[in-house]
Amino acid sequence: MYLSGSLCALSIVAAPAPPSASAGSGCGVVSGRTDVGGPAPALRYENVADSLGVGGDARAWGFSLRDIDADGMPDLYLGHHESSPRFFRNDLLGGGVFVEEHPSLPNWDDFAGADQHSVSILDADADGCVDLYQCVGSARGGRPGDNWLLSFQCGFDPIDLSADSGLLDPYGRGRTPLWLDFDLDGIADLLLLNALSAGNRSRLFRGLGGANFEEIVDGAGLPLDWHWVSGLAADLDEDGDSDLVLTATGVWLFRNEGGLFTDVTAASGINIVTQTDVAMGDVNGDGFVDLVGASFAASTDLIGQPVPEELKYELRLNGPALKGARFLCDSDSIWLNLVMLYAERPEVVWLGSGSVNPAELPLSLSADDPVLLGEPDLIGVAPGAFLWREPTGHWNLRVAGEGEVPGSFERSGGWLRFDSPIDSIETFELEIDAVTARPNHLYRGNGDLTFSDASFSSGFRDRQLQSRDLALGDLDNDGDLDIFVVNGGIVENLPDGLYLNDGSGRFREVSDGVGIPFQPRGSGESVGISDLDRDGRLEILVLNGGGFRPFVGPQDLFRATTRPGRWLLIALDQEAGDPTPLGSRVDLYAGGRRQVRWYDAGQGNRSQQDAFLHFGLGSATIIDSVVVTWPDGSSVRSIAPETDRTIHFSNNP
């Protein structure tokens, strides 16, 4: 039974049952635990990724924390760059773990073998069950790479809707699928942001109902031939429709005027000229959308560069003929560029008796690392450069291939053999041009699509690193939004940042003091904040896979070990046939203050947040009211709901 109408007093019967169980008085659905709250103690975290079943290394490239099987718990989808995606069903309620699911699909191998980029999960066809839209790479626009639209039927048995949906976009280099209802017809539309390549631009699709879409070729005024990376949709000027914030090498704002977009960046006060991921929320409690940006270097696809000069391993070899060797990244591996006296010759490089590619190794190896030890079996191997160390310390370099190469090498059986000791190798170290740290940004909204730069005054710009993604959430349940920033270095990983809000929109960085340790492995890529077990405490999921080789790192999942203050979760449900809730606004009044959340698709930099809206209440014991304003302007109000539980609303016409 769901809340409808303009005003309703809500009485609640506590329901210590899973979110699918509920009780109420005809005004709302209430579910979840009835944990006792209180003043927020010191915040502490522990990493529970392994114990909850989502640990391990991966080259993750996009994830979603959305409820796939309609049990009220956020499941986890991990997209992988050049490998099969993974689905994890959330079974945390009652002390369980994440359980990996293996969906059945007749053409699953085609889906699993696709080069997955960002993903978005929501009910695109209004049938009451979520759908999955997966952006797929297309070799820089050089070969087909169809995007996918899968209906999950409220479970893990998907149906492929791609071919008839109109959303394939085979040559687009999909970066972010941004769902919104830009024309306010109650049907989800899709702005597909593509990295510009070979004339394949971004595309705007209008939803027609069901799983049917049509392309709006002129983009409704949007410049679709730009190199867009990410974005968000929100009502930035309080006029009832969704405006757009889009990011490329900089940030642009577009006002929605009756379904047509106008570039208003110049007058907005936003001045960001670096590639930036942007999140939104009301950080200072004035009821307006604020924008928080994490900036990073524009080019991070290190091994996939058209000219492989981004990073290199260097080693110097003594001897009269071979002056040096340089490891270069390419699309599939690391190459050894042999710089000889009379010639230069690139070869795929393999190390040690296991013929290991350096792309699979850390960025620094000592010369006595076991992986470099022992002669490989060179019978029937593919062409390449093979380097290994004998137990005596003697080094060998052999290059497979045909043809003569000038130099004083011993040629034997089609191999070039260099037997002089390579005693100058001490370590294999990554060498790369220094990358300047980028500043993060915080702009306070004025409610009219203009913003004031509060980056320095808020304390959010105190530390400059290579930030990759960020997410907002009330991590200490004290009634204001905090910020978690994922940083990822080009050469090595960088510490992440947790910024606690003091209630006025000023932040202090507290990562070291709350149990968020530095992760030395991989390269930080994306972050999700969600109450995974619906107990009112927000967990933090961090992916360190980087998405590009040679960075391979683990998933970290941080759970609070302390019990913060009281809380409330709001779920805006979409039953079959309901209008999309995209663009809705929720205002909560408690403890003499107002908190606001905006319901959007939850997209970040290759991340998608939980659909449930979380409110921390601090020491407030009573909620005065909750007001939900739907995209069509109608609203519903819940009077004095109890704390420490989940309330569901649906917009039944």
Side-chain angles (χ1 to χ4, degrees):
M1 192 176 297
Y2 291 86
L3 180 64
S4 61
S6 60
L7 181 66
C8 182
L10 182 67
S11 71
I12 299 172
V13 177
S20 56
S22 62
S25 64
C27 293
V29 169
V30 182
S31 61
R33 305 182 182 182
T34 56
D35 303 275
V36 177
L43 194 62
R44 294 292 301 177
Y45 287 94
E46 63 178 350
N47 192 345
V48 294
D50 290 335
S51 62
L52 293 186
V54 293
D57 293 353
R59 295 191 183 103
W61 194 284
F63 74 85
S64 174
L65 286 170
R66 289 289 169 114
D67 180 11
I68 294 176
D69 55 356
D71 64 352
M73 306 293 285
D75 304 303
L76 173 61
Y77 170 87
L78 286 177
H80 288 162
H81 210 212
E82 303 175 339
S83 62
S84 180
R86 302 176 71 186
F87 293 83
F88 294 88
R89 176 173 50 82
N90 185 335
D91 196 27
L92 297 184
L93 199 64
V97 298
F98 281 93
V99 178
E100 186 163 6
E101 296 284 345
H102 302 279
S104 60
L105 192 69
N107 50 349
W108 174 255
D109 289 343
D110 294 334
F111 177 72
D115 190 7
Q116 299 110 32
H117 289 172
S118 292
V119 65
S120 187
I121 296 176
L122 84 171
D123 189 356
D125 55 2
D127 66 349
C129 300
V130 298
D131 311 296
L132 182 150
Y133 187 77
Q134 174 67 70
C135 287
V136 172
S138 59
R140 301 182 182 274
R143 59 172 170 76
D146 290 333
N147 295 332
W148 291 73
L149 179 65
L150 304 179
S151 171
F152 271 79
Q153 308 180 90
C154 294
F156 288 91
D157 295 310
I159 298 174
D160 185 4
L161 306 177
S162 309
D164 297 328
S165 68
L167 299 177
L168 292 178
D169 190 36
Y171 290 97
R173 296 177 59 205
R175 287 302 177 263
T176 299
L178 184 58
W179 293 95
L180 72 162
D181 181 10
F182 80 93
D183 53 4
L184 292 179
D185 63 355
I187 302 174
D189 310 307
L190 176 65
L191 175 58
L192 179 57
L193 301 178
N194 287 331
L196 189 65
S197 177
N200 299 302
R201 61 181 195 159
S202 298
R203 303 173 73 178
L204 177 64
F205 298 92
R206 174 184 282 117
L208 302 177
N212 301 301
F213 297 83
E214 66 176 4
E215 183 174 6
I216 302 175
V217 178
D218 64 4
L222 294 171
L224 299 180
D225 55 350
W226 290 14
H227 187 96
W228 298 117
V229 176
S230 65
L232 59 84
D235 185 6
L236 302 176
D237 56 1
E238 304 276 304
D239 67 350
D241 53 22
S242 292
D243 309 298
L244 285 170
V245 180
L246 301 182
T247 75
T249 306
V251 174
W252 280 261
L253 272 67
F254 298 89
R255 183 196 302 273
N256 186 345
E257 299 177 292
L260 294 175
F261 292 95
T262 303
D263 186 351
V264 295
T265 309
S268 70
I270 299 289
N271 182 25
I272 302 176
V273 296
T274 56
Q275 188 165 327
T276 302
D277 180 45
V278 176
M280 69 168 179
D282 179 14
V283 301
N284 61 342
D286 64 359
F288 299 136
V289 176
D290 306 313
L291 298 178
V292 185
S295 295
F296 50 93
S299 180
T300 53
D301 189 0
L302 301 180
I303 294 184
Q305 296 299 321
V307 179
E309 296 177 348
E310 271 293 339
L311 67 90
K312 53 185 178 292
Y313 288 83
E314 291 273 351
L315 66 94
R316 287 292 163 183
L317 313 179
N318 62 344
L322 193 60
K323 299 197 303 183
R326 184 174 60 177
F327 293 88
L328 291 175
C329 292
D330 205 346
S331 59
D332 298 314
S333 59
I334 286 184
W335 293 70
L336 179 62
N337 205 39
L338 300 174
V339 183
M340 289 171 271
L341 191 61
Y342 304 108
E344 186 170 322
R345 174 176 177 165
E347 303 286 353
V348 178
V349 67
W350 312 98
L351 301 176
S353 60
S355 298
V356 178
N357 191 312
E360 306 297 332
L361 299 175
L363 296 178
S364 177
L365 288 175
S366 66
D368 60 357
D369 193 293
V371 77
L372 302 171
L373 184 65
E375 181 174 358
D377 182 1
L378 301 178
I379 299 176
V381 297
F386 294 82
L387 179 68
W388 71 94
R389 181 177 57 83
E390 296 177 357
T392 61
H394 184 90
W395 287 87
N396 290 275
L397 174 68
R398 292 191 182 182
V399 181
E402 299 299 326
E404 297 288 340
V405 177
S408 56
F409 288 91
E410 174 186 335
R411 182 174 175 82
S412 173
W415 294 88
L416 297 172
R417 181 180 176 91
F418 182 73
D419 283 328
S420 298
I422 309 174
D423 54 15
S424 62
I425 297 181
E426 295 179 357
T427 59
F428 292 93
E429 292 286 354
L430 182 68
E431 178 183 304
I432 186 171
D433 294 336
V435 179
T436 303
R438 309 287 185 173
N440 291 329
H441 304 273
L442 192 153
Y443 283 86
R444 289 179 177 149
N446 301 316
D448 58 358
L449 260 173
T450 66
F451 294 81
S452 301
D453 190 351
S455 303
F456 287 103
S457 62
S458 67
F460 185 54
R461 204 166 175 170
D462 287 349
R463 186 173 67 164
Q464 297 188 24
L465 293 171
Q466 283 291 311
S467 301
R468 299 290 303 162
D469 193 16
L470 78 167
L472 306 184
D474 190 354
L475 296 170
D476 52 3
N477 279 0
D478 64 350
D480 51 51
L481 290 174
D482 310 303
I483 306 171
F484 193 94
V485 179
V486 169
N487 300 304
I490 302 298
V491 175
E492 60 184 356
N493 210 359
L494 297 171
D496 299 325
L498 193 162
Y499 296 81
L500 287 183
N501 192 337
D502 68 0
S504 68
R506 180 164 181 81
F507 296 85
R508 60 188 176 94
E509 207 285 318
V510 298
S511 302
D512 292 340
V514 299
I516 305 290
F518 169 57
Q519 172 57 262
R521 300 175 53 228
S523 179
E525 175 64 13
S526 49
V527 59
I529 293 178
S530 169
D531 181 2
L532 295 176
D533 53 3
R534 302 309 192 212
D535 69 347
R537 292 177 290 183
L538 291 175
E539 282 77 38
I540 304 168
L541 175 68
V542 177
L543 270 59
N544 295 288
F548 39 81
R549 292 152 298 155
F551 299 112
V552 177
Q555 287 89 234
D556 291 327
L557 179 58
F558 298 105
R559 167 185 276 175
T561 59
T562 50
R563 175 70 59 182
R566 291 186 168 88
W567 53 276
L568 189 71
L569 283 174
I570 301 292
L572 302 185
D573 297 326
Q574 184 178 6
E575 298 180 337
D578 283 358
T580 178
L582 290 171
S584 299
R585 169 180 171 137
V586 179
D587 293 74
L588 180 146
Y589 299 86
R593 63 194 302 184
R594 174 181 64 171
Q595 296 186 55
V596 185
R597 302 287 187 269
W598 289 266
Y599 186 90
D600 68 344
Q603 294 297 140
N605 178 36
R606 293 185 279 275
S607 62
Q608 186 183 27
Q609 310 299 321
D610 188 2
F612 282 28
L613 304 177
H614 171 271
F615 292 83
L617 303 175
S619 59
T621 59
I622 298 174
I623 300 172
D624 299 317
S625 64
V626 175
V627 179
V628 178
T629 303
W630 303 107
D632 63 3
S634 64
S635 63
V636 292
R637 176 175 295 176
S638 168
I639 303 297
E642 294 186 32
T643 65
D644 302 339
R645 61 199 60 230
T646 301
I647 302 179
H648 293 252
F649 297 90
S650 68
N651 186 19
N652 298 113

